[in-house]
Amino acid sequence: MPKRVYFFGGGKAEGQGTQKELLGGKGAGLAEMTSIGLPVPAGFTLTIDTCAEYYDNKKRYPKDLDKEVRQHIAKLEKVTGKKLGDPKDPLLVSVRSGAARSMPGMMETILNLGLNDVAVEGMAKKFGDARFAYDSYRRFIQMYSTTAMGLSKEPMEEMLHAIKHKLHISDDKDIPAESLKQLCSDFKAFYKQKKGEDFPQDPIVQLWGAIGAVFNCWEADKAITYRRVEKLEFLKGTAVNIQQMCFGNKNDRSGTGVCFTRDPNTGENVFYGDWLINAQGEDVVAGIRTPMKLSELAIKYPGANKQLYQVRAILEKHYKEMQDLEFTVEDEKLYMLQCRTGKRSPAATFTIAADMVKEKLISKEQAISRIAPEDIERLFYPVIDMKIKKADLEKVKLTTGINAVPGSAFGEVVFNAADAEELAKAGKPVILVRKETSPEDVGGMHAAQGILTQTGGKTSHAAVVARGWGKCCIVGCETLNINYEKQEFSVGSKIVKKGEFLTLDGSEGIVYLGKLDLVKPELPEAYYTIMKWCDGIRTLKVRTNADTPYDSANAIKMGAEGIGLCRTEHMFFDTEERRQAIQEMIVADTIEARKSALAKLLPFQREDFYGIFKAMAGFPVTIRLVDPPLHEFVPHEEKQQRALADKIGVPYEKIRHRIEQLHESNPMLGHRGCRLCITYPEILEMQVRAIIEAAVQCKKEKIKVFPEIMHPLVLDLKEFKFLEERTRKVAKEVMDAAGVKVEYLVGTMIEVPRAALLADQIAQAAEFFSFGTNDLTQMTMALSRDDAGRFLPDYVDQKKAAIFKDDPFQSLDQEGVGKLIKIGIQGGRSTNPKLKIGICGEHGGEAKSVKFCHRVGMDYVSCSPYRVPIARLAAAQAVIEGAASNGKHGAVKKASKRKGKKK
Ligand code: ADP
Ligand code: MG
Ligand code: MG
């Protein structure tokens, strides 16, 4: 028979702080505080497993539970020297719920259990205070009737209110004893009227009623919903804590409060909290009276205050974490009723962790391990002002979508990129609303404050591009019904027109009507401190994916150590001039025409590369030659095609024909990547020329440069050699002509499974590999990133198919795609030990994937600028976790560099 009940009291506890899964957070905390000698009223905990048994057993208590509870009541009576139901001096208890994870407000507590018509008189006499006794009794009747017996809260609250009104009293504590006594009678009469029976007088009946109530609230609708929303469905049940009462409502030398051992908003090392004189239970948080600051406790009751400060110090030393505490003072003596790790703002997470290292409570490694990727994300983005009340937010909530990029933004609704650019130029904030986005929208996306799309997932075009800029973005908002013609969209019956304001919460994926106040969090000093520690520990380098000098400069600020992916094609959309030049190149039907169009592109590319090199000041810059299928660059509507024809002086028919020719039924597997340069080597020549010329210019200006020229979609050594030879030939020509030597590398992306399998061959000629895990995932899993949104959620849904734990486009499929990566790394290094290896897919900024990259021995990861700090953190955590799993203790030494690894 399992042990179902655990006792705590008299300085000893059967349970421990580590047993949260068995005793619940509250039970574990009470046991721990008891054993380390803090003043905790005695009691006992019914385990979570008992609750699970109750549900497994069609809501019947396990057979021997009754006996075990009786034994523990006897023990509690012995420790406290009081008896349940004693007419002269009754033992009173609270019955408290407590799951393994905090579920605020979901489950309720019953206080002062054990009182009845006789005991209340005994209590009044014993303490010489009828007000106190009847105040306790009326509270108990209220809580028991509503929480255990399901009566609604309002009627009794109204009766209480009516008495105060009649007596012209505003504060509960001023109600005289006689009135409280009357109130108790009224409550009981009301109870009888509603339930058809007397209010229970037998404490044992009361106790089982309360235990049942706690168990049953586990499956209340609101609790079930809460667990679903918070992804806590794995929890098995709640524990029940039965604990001797201490009385904050006894007199004016008593009170109750809640506090944090440090400021949970700023993280500052100050005691932070509220308390109320002569009050009980939830009075403090219920907002019945304005609570007092802890500093007032110091003035009014220095004795209790001193005890509380001692407890704070003991608990922080013991748990080495900021604690959230609940306490009660009875006759100026302190009792501790709850402790748990306190929730805090992202800024406070950093500050507390860094301070605790300085205070020698924890090590740097522990501090680093305590930071979650979300803490970093939330530090950077503006958020909706927390001062706005939840209820007010609810009122303006329009709909929800997928939270693609965190942060918040507001602006006027526009439906196309041109409008976004135009309004932004006029200094107006805009939200770009699209069914989906494509490379042609990039200008407008950049101009917008936020992006909202009807389709797509977290790796759709909109999400990836927005993430690169750290721009708030919600995708897959299926409830949107967009009408581009009318320039409006609807959600149900609500219509939103162009020019109306929306506020997006990209962290939660919520769309609000109107303009909500936003606040930009400030980076705490501790952020820099902890990131520096991360940099000291990690061995994996962190680069960024950036396409412009602006992004590059930004990425450097975020701590990037180079560019792992610069996508040249993004440069072609920047201005009308550039768009036109690339389109002219694409529709050219002779090599001369193509070369002449390419000549127009050359200066643009050179200028961009120069800017990027300059911003990266000597860090390596990997530049990928043109990658997408050409049809993505040309207009598909007749009107625009005609305009293009006019501009470049080619007949419309010819243009239309050429564009039709470019159409492919499966472009993802079509004429793209390095295949374009196999067909049109002149594109390669122009791009390499631009890169090397820019590098030469830098060198002349004494700016350090280190370009890495990358060929995408390679699948073969011969293919790669064809490209490599041409690359080197052009580079040499440029360098010879300028009389300047530039150090550069030629390498490839590994994004076709065949390339991973034949990596040993390719590495004979390639100087670096960059795993393009977006395409590699698509091709390995035969999953189109753009179309998988229709069914992939079912695969990831843990309640449905649960085939994948995560979306493989967000978190690397370590088992399958990861295996190809391992094969690729091993193969590549077997023929070329100096091979430099990195990753440039979306996964390079996702913590779990970054840790994988560390484990398989990559040299660097590359991700969007805003995820650079996340990658730095994850890379450091990977070292710490590696040391832990190797059984090493203490500080992590900087791992020695792998043999033969190039700097
Ligand atoms: P929650 O899970 O909502 O925090 P608790 O079980 O902590 O609920 O109870 C709420 C409040 O009731 C506590 O903060 C405390 O003030 C009061 N309380 C609970 N048990 C006792 C007790 N044994 N003595 C005095 N007050 C108690
Ligand atoms: Mg509590
Ligand atoms: Mg690719």
Side-chain angles (χ1 to χ4, degrees):
M1 194 181 64
K3 181 173 171 59
R4 298 193 179 95
V5 184
Y6 286 70
F7 193 81
F8 56 89
K12 275 191 244 151
E14 292 178 321
Q16 286 176 4
T18 49
Q19 290 175 307
K20 264 194 210 162
E21 307 302 321
L22 182 70
L23 304 176
K26 204 177 285 165
L30 290 169
E32 192 75 7
M33 286 197 291
T34 303
S35 8
I36 61 174
L38 298 185
V40 179
F44 53 88
T45 305
L46 272 59
T47 65
I48 288 175
D49 292 348
T50 309
C51 176
E53 270 183 90
Y54 171 78
Y55 278 105
D56 288 346
N57 202 12
K58 302 202 177 71
K59 298 223 228 175
R60 277 193 304 264
Y61 297 117
K63 205 170 109 255
D64 304 310
L65 185 64
D66 180 58
K67 198 171 130 210
E68 218 175 324
V69 167
R70 272 178 194 280
Q71 284 167 353
H72 281 83
I73 293 174
K75 194 164 173 187
L76 183 61
E77 289 179 334
K78 202 165 152 209
V79 169
T80 60
K82 290 177 186 248
K83 282 204 159 359
L84 213 53
D86 183 336
K88 292 211 186 91
D89 183 16
L91 167 67
L92 302 189
V93 296
S94 62
V95 179
R96 318 169 65 188
S97 63
R101 302 287 180 286
S102 154
M103 295 171 59
M106 286 303 125
M107 298 189 290
E108 305 191 41
T109 298
I110 294 171
L111 305 179
N112 310 328
L113 187 140
L115 277 174
N116 55 29
D117 296 352
V118 181
V120 70
E121 279 298 325
M123 185 174 165
K125 240 181 240 136
K126 156 115 202 231
F127 292 103
D129 188 346
R131 184 211 68 85
F132 163 48
Y134 278 97
D135 182 56
S136 303
Y137 196 25
R138 71 95 188 157
R139 287 173 189 267
F140 171 56
I141 301 171
Q142 262 181 298
M143 282 185 264
Y144 191 85
S145 307
T146 56
T147 302
M149 304 311 292
L151 297 189
S152 78
K153 284 195 170 154
E154 287 75 22
M156 290 187 178
E157 274 302 321
E158 269 162 30
M159 289 154 84
L160 174 68
H161 200 79
I163 284 203
K164 285 198 283 184
H165 189 75
K166 204 173 96 193
L167 300 174
H168 305 289
I169 288 173
S170 63
D171 201 330
D172 291 358
K173 76 184 179 68
D174 298 327
I175 309 173
E178 272 315 301
S179 306
L180 288 168
K181 194 170 175 177
Q182 183 58 46
L183 201 56
C184 288
S185 303
D186 295 349
F187 281 176
K188 281 183 293 175
F190 178 75
Y191 181 92
K192 186 164 186 184
Q193 181 203 333
K194 286 280 164 197
K195 300 297 293 184
E197 60 186 33
D198 285 326
F199 187 82
Q201 295 288 308
D202 179 350
I204 294 295
V205 172
Q206 296 173 352
L207 184 64
W208 283 105
I211 292 173
V214 172
F215 278 171
N216 287 332
C217 70
W218 181 251
E219 301 254 294
D221 286 346
K222 67 173 178 178
I224 292 174
T225 308
Y226 182 84
R227 291 196 293 275
R228 180 165 50 76
V229 172
E230 298 291 322
K231 301 215 161 59
L232 293 174
E233 283 151 317
F234 63 92
L235 293 178
K236 290 188 291 185
T238 177
V240 186
N241 300 288
I242 292 148
Q243 187 179 23
Q244 182 187 15
M245 286 301 302
C246 51
F247 298 100
N249 59 332
K250 192 169 176 185
N251 49 38
D252 282 353
R253 291 167 50 239
S254 308
T256 180
V258 292
C259 55
F260 291 87
T261 54
R262 299 181 189 221
D263 185 329
N265 296 316
T266 64
E268 209 188 327
N269 191 0
V270 292
F271 210 1
Y272 181 97
D274 291 326
W275 70 292
L276 274 180
I277 292 183
N278 199 338
Q280 189 175 48
E282 303 287 70
D283 292 1
V284 184
V285 276
I288 301 173
R289 282 182 269 159
T290 310
M292 294 193 249
K293 295 270 158 287
L294 277 185
S295 47
E296 286 169 89
L297 186 69
I299 298 162
K300 288 226 155 77
Y301 306 118
N305 184 65
K306 196 173 150 205
Q307 295 165 48
L308 193 60
Y309 266 81
Q310 278 165 354
V311 165
R312 172 194 185 214
I314 291 169
L315 280 177
E316 276 218 340
K317 226 177 165 169
H318 184 74
Y319 282 106
K320 304 181 190 321
E321 251 298 17
M322 186 264 264
Q323 297 289 303
D324 171 353
L325 308 177
E326 294 177 10
F327 65 91
T328 283
V329 174
E330 179 182 330
D331 285 329
E332 287 188 49
K333 175 165 171 25
L334 176 75
Y335 294 94
M336 295 310 299
L337 292 171
Q338 195 169 335
C339 75
R340 63 185 155 199
T341 300
K343 291 222 167 75
R344 62 203 78 178
S345 73
T349 304
F350 280 93
T351 303
I352 291 171
D355 283 353
M356 287 194 165
V357 173
K358 277 181 223 141
E359 295 159 23
K360 299 208 162 40
L361 277 175
I362 58 174
S363 66
K364 283 180 190 173
E365 287 77 15
Q366 282 171 313
I368 291 170
S369 307
R370 278 185 190 177
I371 312 288
E374 300 77 47
D375 294 326
I376 295 189
E377 277 191 336
R378 295 205 191 114
L379 266 192
F380 282 93
Y381 302 117
V383 291
I384 293 174
D385 196 337
M386 297 222 280
K387 286 191 201 104
I388 302 177
K389 290 208 186 83
K390 273 243 158 73
D392 292 337
L393 280 180
E394 258 330 291
K395 277 182 220 149
V396 290
K397 181 169 163 179
L398 178 63
T399 184
T400 55
I402 298 170
N403 50 343
V405 185
S408 294
F410 60 70
E412 292 180 30
V413 171
V414 295
F415 293 94
N416 61 58
D419 286 352
E421 286 184 73
E422 197 184 307
L423 283 180
K425 237 180 238 156
K428 289 188 181 160
V430 295
I431 300 290
L432 179 62
V433 181
R434 301 280 305 164
K435 286 183 185 156
E436 77 278 296
T437 62
S438 71
E440 286 170 82
D441 299 324
V442 168
M445 294 167 76
H446 194 255
Q449 302 300 119
I451 297 158
L452 173 63
T453 70
Q454 185 195 334
T455 61
K458 282 192 180 178
T459 49
S460 63
H461 178 265
V464 172
V465 172
R467 187 167 307 127
W469 299 318
K471 188 176 302 250
C472 166
C473 176
I474 299 176
V475 296
C477 194
E478 305 274 351
T479 48
L480 293 191
N481 200 339
I482 302 176
N483 188 332
Y484 286 136
E485 291 270 278
K486 287 196 186 161
Q487 301 257 325
E488 62 178 42
F489 73 83
S490 60
V491 175
S493 61
K494 174 75 201 166
I495 293 177
V496 177
K497 290 190 179 335
K498 180 183 171 195
E500 287 183 43
F501 268 91
L502 284 187
T503 302
L504 307 185
D505 179 346
S507 313
E508 302 292 333
I510 305 176
V511 183
Y512 296 102
L513 290 168
K515 198 166 153 182
L516 299 174
D517 286 340
L518 305 181
V519 286
K520 188 158 174 143
E522 241 175 74
L523 288 185
E525 196 51 44
Y527 163 77
Y528 298 100
T529 311
I530 291 183
M531 292 315 289
K532 223 167 100 192
W533 294 340
C534 288
D535 294 343
I537 283 175
R538 70 186 161 90
T539 52
L540 197 62
K541 295 237 182 269
V542 178
R543 299 195 194 177
T544 191
N545 298 351
D547 310 327
T548 63
Y550 170 83
D551 289 351
S552 308
N554 198 16
I556 290 278
K557 280 191 217 137
M558 307 296 271
E561 302 159 292
I563 290 181
L565 177 64
C566 170
R567 290 159 294 198
T568 47
E569 60 271 12
H570 282 197
M571 303 173 171
F572 300 139
F573 290 106
D574 246 18
T575 61
E576 190 48 42
E577 244 181 328
R578 291 175 175 214
R579 262 194 292 265
Q580 194 178 312
I582 181 93
Q583 290 171 345
E584 192 179 328
M585 187 280 285
I586 292 168
V587 298
D589 56 359
T590 63
I591 182 155
E592 286 72 33
R594 194 171 310 113
K595 280 192 165 163
S596 118
L598 283 166
K600 290 184 195 165
L601 282 172
L602 178 71
F604 296 132
Q605 294 238 290
R606 187 174 51 216
E607 187 190 325
D608 286 350
F609 293 142
Y610 170 76
I612 291 170
F613 290 151
K614 208 167 156 179
M616 277 294 148
F619 281 127
V621 175
T622 306
I623 297 168
R624 177 180 74 182
L625 302 192
V626 67
D627 182 55
L630 295 181
H631 82 104
E632 277 196 15
F633 297 90
V634 288
H636 297 280
E637 280 159 35
E638 182 178 334
K639 206 172 118 199
Q640 290 161 305
Q641 290 179 354
R642 283 192 186 277
L644 176 64
D646 280 354
K647 266 185 259 166
I648 62 176
V650 177
Y652 160 68
E653 285 306 320
K654 213 167 134 184
I655 297 231
R656 203 201 60 191
H657 178 68
R658 178 76 182 128
I659 290 174
E660 270 170 17
Q661 257 186 347
L662 287 174
H663 175 81
E664 290 175 304
S665 47
N666 195 348
M668 188 183 94
L669 305 179
H671 200 192
R672 57 172 288 220
C674 68
R675 297 163 195 181
L676 293 168
C677 293
I678 298 280
T679 312
Y680 310 115
E682 51 279 12
I683 300 181
L684 175 152
E685 279 157 23
M686 181 279 286
Q687 293 204 289
V688 173
R689 179 170 291 277
I691 294 167
I692 301 295
E693 285 182 356
V696 163
Q697 192 183 335
C698 288
K699 281 233 139 169
K700 285 185 179 159
E701 294 170 23
K702 304 250 175 313
I703 300 165
K704 278 197 200 154
V705 273
F706 198 66
E708 300 177 341
I709 301 171
M710 179 157 79
H711 296 284
L713 217 75
V714 161
L715 47 66
D716 190 273
L717 174 63
K718 276 196 198 135
E719 180 191 38
F720 180 73
K721 271 196 163 158
F722 178 100
L723 304 161
E724 189 231 2
E725 277 159 18
R726 269 163 190 72
T727 304
R728 295 207 185 277
K729 184 162 163 276
V730 176
K732 185 162 184 311
E733 276 168 26
V734 176
M735 293 190 293
D736 287 350
V740 173
K741 201 168 166 320
V742 175
E743 240 192 286
Y744 69 97
L745 300 182
V746 187
T748 175
M749 272 176 102
I750 301 288
E751 50 187 340
V752 178
R754 189 176 193 273
L757 296 170
L758 300 182
D760 53 340
Q761 295 179 20
I762 296 170
Q764 290 168 16
E767 291 172 293
F768 66 88
F769 282 175
S770 174
F771 284 91
T773 46
N774 296 346
D775 268 313
L776 190 59
T777 300
Q778 294 203 97
M779 296 197 216
T780 303
M781 305 182 99
L783 274 181
S784 154
R785 193 165 65 149
D786 302 316
D787 302 322
R790 291 199 196 149
F791 57 90
L792 198 53
D794 293 343
Y795 276 68
V796 181
D797 189 338
Q798 299 305 307
K799 284 253 139 157
K800 206 162 182 182
I803 293 169
F804 302 143
K805 228 162 136 203
D806 300 292
D807 178 337
F809 291 112
Q810 287 165 42
S811 190
L812 189 76
D813 160 39
Q814 299 184 13
E815 234 190 313
V817 179
K819 193 162 182 178
L820 273 175
I821 293 177
K822 283 187 208 159
I823 291 171
I825 293 178
Q826 208 185 17
R829 289 222 170 102
S830 73
T831 53
N832 181 359
K834 285 186 183 166
L835 190 72
K836 211 178 198 183
I837 300 178
I839 182 177
C840 64
E842 279 297 297
H843 306 99
E846 192 272 336
K848 277 187 267 178
S849 312
V850 171
K851 290 178 186 175
F852 172 84
C853 294
H854 168 85
R855 289 198 299 272
V856 298
M858 286 194 193
D859 297 295
Y860 69 87
V861 294
S862 186
C863 55
S864 57
Y866 283 89
R867 283 175 150 194
V868 164
I870 294 176
R872 288 160 69 198
L873 170 79
Q877 289 178 340
V879 174
I880 295 166
E881 286 162 21
S885 71
N886 287 339
K888 281 185 218 148
H889 294 289
V892 177
K893 296 262 150 54
K894 195 157 173 135
S896 60
K897 289 256 149 86
R898 203 170 359 78
K899 251 191 250 155
K901 186 170 121 180
K902 192 164 172 166
K903 181 175 131 239

